[in-house]
Amino acid sequence: MVRNNIEIDVKVKCIEQGTTQAAVAEQIDTTKSYVNRVIKKPNGVVNNTFVQMMEALGYDIELHYVKRDGTE
């Protein structure tokens, strides 16, 4: 199981950066609706097979975000 709520994580990071999902979509050359679909889809970000393998090994997945040096 992925413990993170990726939709909330993205929203919080957007707020922290003072940006929007639409701006992020533009930066990665896609649409806001596609970004929204990806973050709302339960297995849209983390590969479902990877999740199943980790669960079979007795692990849950917890994503941690690390800010790159030199970026604001």
Side-chain angles (χ1 to χ4, degrees), residues 13 64-69 71:
K13 294 302 178 192
H64 295 273
Y65 309 102
V66 180
K67 185 78 172 152
R68 279 183 261 140
D69 289 336
T71 59

Side-chain angles (χ1 to χ4, degrees), residues 9-72:
D9 291 350
V10 170
K11 288 179 180 182
V12 167
K13 294 302 178 192
C14 283
I15 291 168
E16 289 175 356
Q17 295 294 309
T19 192
T20 64
Q21 289 178 32
V24 172
E26 189 174 308
Q27 288 178 339
I28 63 171
D29 198 30
T30 192
T31 64
K32 179 183 181 282
S33 62
Y34 181 73
V35 167
N36 195 39
R37 255 194 332 261
V38 168
I39 65 174
K40 284 185 177 281
K41 187 175 175 185
N43 61 355
V45 176
V46 180
N47 181 284
N48 192 46
T49 303
F50 173 69
V51 172
Q52 290 174 341
M53 289 187 305
M54 295 310 290
E55 286 177 339
L57 293 167
Y59 290 91
D60 286 335
I61 298 167
E62 189 172 288
L63 301 174
H64 295 273
Y65 309 102
V66 180
K67 185 78 172 152
R68 279 183 261 140
D69 289 336
T71 59
E72 292 294 321

